[in-house]
Amino acid sequence: QAAEPKLDTLCQQLIYNDANDYNLLVQWPLGEERIGGAVDFGDAVHAPIVCDLAIACAYAAMGKNDPMAATMAVVEGFHKVHPLEETEVAILFPLIALRLLVSVTTSAINARQAPENEYLQISSAPAWRLLQQLRTIAPSLAHYHFRHACGWAPCPQAASFRQWMATQNFLPVVETQWQGVAALDLSVGSLDLGHHSQYEEIDAFCDRIDGLLQEQKATIGLGGYGEVRPFYTTDAYQVKGHAGPRWRTVHLGLDIWAAAGTAVRAPFPGRVRYNHNNIGERNYGPTLILEHEWSDGQVFYSLYGHLSEDSLRGLQAGDAVVAGQLIARIGDRPINGNWPPHLHFQLMLDLLNEEGDFPGVAFPEVAEIWKSLCPDPAAMILSEAALASLNRHLAGQHNLALDHILQKRRSKLGKGLSISYQKPLIVPRASRQYLYDQTGRRFLDTVNNVAHVGHQHPKVVQAASRQIAVLNTNTRYLHPQILQYAESLLATLPEELCVVHFVNSGSEANELALRMAKTMTERQDVVAVDVGYHGNTGACIDVSSYKFDGKGGSGAPAHTHIVPMPDTYRGIFRADKPNAGMLYAETVREAIGRMEEQGRRPAAFICEGILSCGGQVVLPAGYLKAAFSHVRQAGGICIVDEVQTGFGRVGEHFWAFELQGVVPDIVTMGKPIGNGHPLGAVVCTREVADAFANGMEFFNTFGGNPVSCAVGSAVLDVVQEEGLQQNALTIGRMLQNGLRQLQGKYHYIGDVRGHGLFLGFELVKNGKTLEPAADWASFIVNQMRERAILMSTDGPLHNVIKIKPPMCFNEQNVHFFLEELELVLQMI
Ligand code: PMP
């Protein structure tokens, strides 16, 4: 009925009339698939061109959790190649539905006439399901989506409504002196909102709102239109999207935070459309919707949410309301949905359905559509001063635009910096094992071992902020904090390792360790492992083959002697050699031998506890024991770099070197040691420490300062208190078992390896030749990012995916991760 009268007026031509998945030929490569051709022209007819689009949309949306996203992508592509007319887009939704009805009808006829032909039934079930899904979508809303996909204003009347609004005088919605108004920034990256604990617990959130108002000496708080809010990103609000989870995060109303009982008045004449005074359990609490006429019979609606139940008792649907009339009062907890008292005030240009059930928060991908449908009410109710203050606070939120950040980075920062993922991520907030992007999407972090005990762990945050408020200075003054921390740290190590020097990073730790070894031995030569990485300083780069053998590098310096990676999967000695550890250690002895032939001897041997940049390579049994023995025989110092692996991550032990049953002369620490705070440490034997203290002062301005030590102590405490080493062991095993099960199904997973929560899996195109599949690894990582899971690749052949999440990673995270990973593996 909606489409038919208009069809004759539309542009017609010969159309293909059957663009479904079974008729389209797809071109590769993986991740860049394109439609390369089509078959089966038997249905071609002369008809309106938009019918071709409707048919393609119908098939594209079948079997999708989010049919609108699928159809919008098709409309956008179609419009780019063949610009559509507004009149065509206006009838697209009924045409899609029509195609589905034709499809289920022909299937039903075919089922009778040719029951043996299964192909003729192939789209019947998905077509019925899609019809059911489409029934829940208001046709006008679908229309706004399609208009948006064409790059037009989603809601056609939005611009004229805004113009009309600017010419009107409205009365105040909330009785107030606007001098006492504060703009509240509750956006995802808001520093005002602060730590996640301040909004995840409702009492804490109420306190935070009160606190913000008090700090600004205000009685009314204001804000929230178009704001991306982190408190909508918990499991409770999670929805399954077409690729991974989604959250409605973009707030569509303006919130006025004020005392419960505050009077709410109609800003404009109208009549009551809905009075939901009995829905305390809903997110909005009791809600009122008024309908107003604005021009030539056009209407808009105003919504008042989180009201008190009793204040709504006098109003009936249909009652006329005059401007300024008392219509309700702001509700208190818990009737208002258990929020801090406030009025949610929202405008709508279309009610979409007859139930009066209208969302107050939108999915970020379609927020522009909803914002067009729900104009900003600020101009309607605020004085100029209040509006200006609101816009000032919003300015900070708008700075999060991707293009803006990328362009500034390019012009102001060094070009050597890299960016993760084909689609870069803006990250304004993190908590525990999650990172949040600027749209409020919650990403599961499987790769950030720096946030060891969880991003922004409250205990670590508190330790840092308490200490920095009181004192931060250097080690030339006496202070108990450093001693307490040194003792706690040393207690985690074998007793031979009994002296600590504090620095500010893993690089600084390795730099100092190398200097100690060189000072003690009065030698310069270092034996290091192939594809190792030890830091960004001069001496560290000199022993990091990952860098000097990589892009922009110029090979090993004369005093660096590289030994092969002890990799039993694709290295020179493999798992079939039971004594691979000894054989690899022999390569260390041989390197020392070659050095000695040139009249040189090693100052040190440096090796990671598990090779990280090398591709999460677990050292074979006996490797370090034998290698250390060769090095020590030649008078060298044995350094283990625990920057990646330390602090309980490997599960069975607190330190990865303990997996090898050895005690190094020096252990270096970084990354997880400060949970993101810049901190590093070098722990060594008394002998090394005394030899290093040769009269030259060791001074490090920031190393060992009270704030860093408070942070380091807090990290150790949390690892202990929360049993995180044990968690790494049990959750790591669960994860590794899950990966092995996937390996059984998907043979291009060549190897799964690691300990605790320091894992990797290697992708190969051929299990015999071990041909690396770097393109597949990169495809997986980028697809997982689309599904809200962050991972990264490493290894010399870039085909190893590493997993080293914050140590609070839990069972639910493992299941979610494995499910999503399998969906991506199936795409290869
Ligand atoms: N050692 C290892 C094993 C590392 O992986 C790194 C950093 N990736 C470093 C040292 C250097 O640490 P930082 O970048 O914190 O200085």
Side-chain angles (χ1 to χ4, degrees), residues 267-291:
F268 197 70
R271 66 187 179 95
V272 176
R273 181 65 193 263
Y274 290 102
N275 176 348
H276 295 306
N277 69 349
N278 55 353
I279 50 172
E281 72 282 2
R282 292 216 314 213
N283 189 30
Y284 273 160
T287 303
L288 185 69
I289 298 180
L290 302 185
E291 179 177 300

Side-chain angles (χ1 to χ4, degrees), residues 507-706:
S507 302
E508 266 201 320
N510 283 320
E511 175 81 23
L512 178 61
L514 292 167
R515 187 151 76 87
M516 284 175 153
K518 290 174 188 173
T519 306
M520 183 173 176
T521 57
E522 297 180 341
R523 301 173 188 168
Q524 295 303 315
D525 289 76
V526 177
V527 180
V529 179
D530 201 16
V531 205
Y533 178 67
H534 299 287
N536 59 41
T537 65
C540 288
I541 294 291
D542 276 357
V543 295
S544 298
S545 116
Y546 182 70
K547 289 286 177 197
F548 63 62
D549 286 332
K551 256 194 207 155
S554 46
H559 55 260
T560 300
H561 307 267
I562 293 297
V563 292
M565 266 203 289
D567 173 358
T568 55
Y569 178 64
R570 65 164 68 240
I572 51 174
F573 309 115
R574 300 197 176 165
D576 56 344
K577 296 252 181 326
N579 58 344
M582 304 299 279
L583 294 174
Y584 278 114
E586 266 307 291
T587 66
V588 175
R589 199 182 57 77
E590 286 158 16
I592 294 170
R594 284 194 297 276
M595 209 185 292
E596 285 175 342
E597 279 167 21
Q598 299 167 22
R600 308 150 76 141
R601 309 200 78 197
F605 166 61
I606 183 163
C607 181
E608 295 168 73
I610 294 179
L611 311 183
S612 171
C613 293
Q616 307 295 91
V617 174
V618 177
L619 305 178
Y623 174 66
L624 282 187
K625 207 170 239 171
F628 280 14
S629 146
H630 299 317
V631 173
R632 283 173 176 152
Q633 241 164 37
I637 298 298
C638 297
I639 305 171
V640 172
D641 178 340
E642 290 273 357
V643 170
Q644 290 275 357
T645 46
F647 297 89
R649 175 161 296 279
V650 298
E652 293 107 306
H653 299 280
F654 201 79
W655 301 104
F657 68 77
E658 293 173 291
L659 293 165
Q660 290 273 306
V662 291
V663 178
D665 304 304
I666 305 179
V667 177
T668 58
M669 304 164 193
K671 291 190 191 274
I673 190 174
N675 211 52
H677 177 86
L679 176 59
V682 180
V683 177
C684 62
T685 59
R686 167 72 49 209
E687 195 192 353
V688 173
D690 288 351
F692 178 59
N694 64 357
M696 185 190 287
E697 181 201 11
F698 172 73
F699 181 64
N700 186 316
T701 304
F702 302 123
N705 70 71

Side-chain angles (χ1 to χ4, degrees), residues 365-392:
E365 310 81 48
V366 288
E368 288 311 312
I369 300 169
W370 286 93
K371 278 159 71 180
S372 165
L373 178 56
C374 303
D376 186 352
M380 177 180 278
I381 59 160
L382 297 185
S383 68
E384 267 182 36
L387 200 57
S389 139
L390 197 62
N391 287 336
R392 263 198 308 281

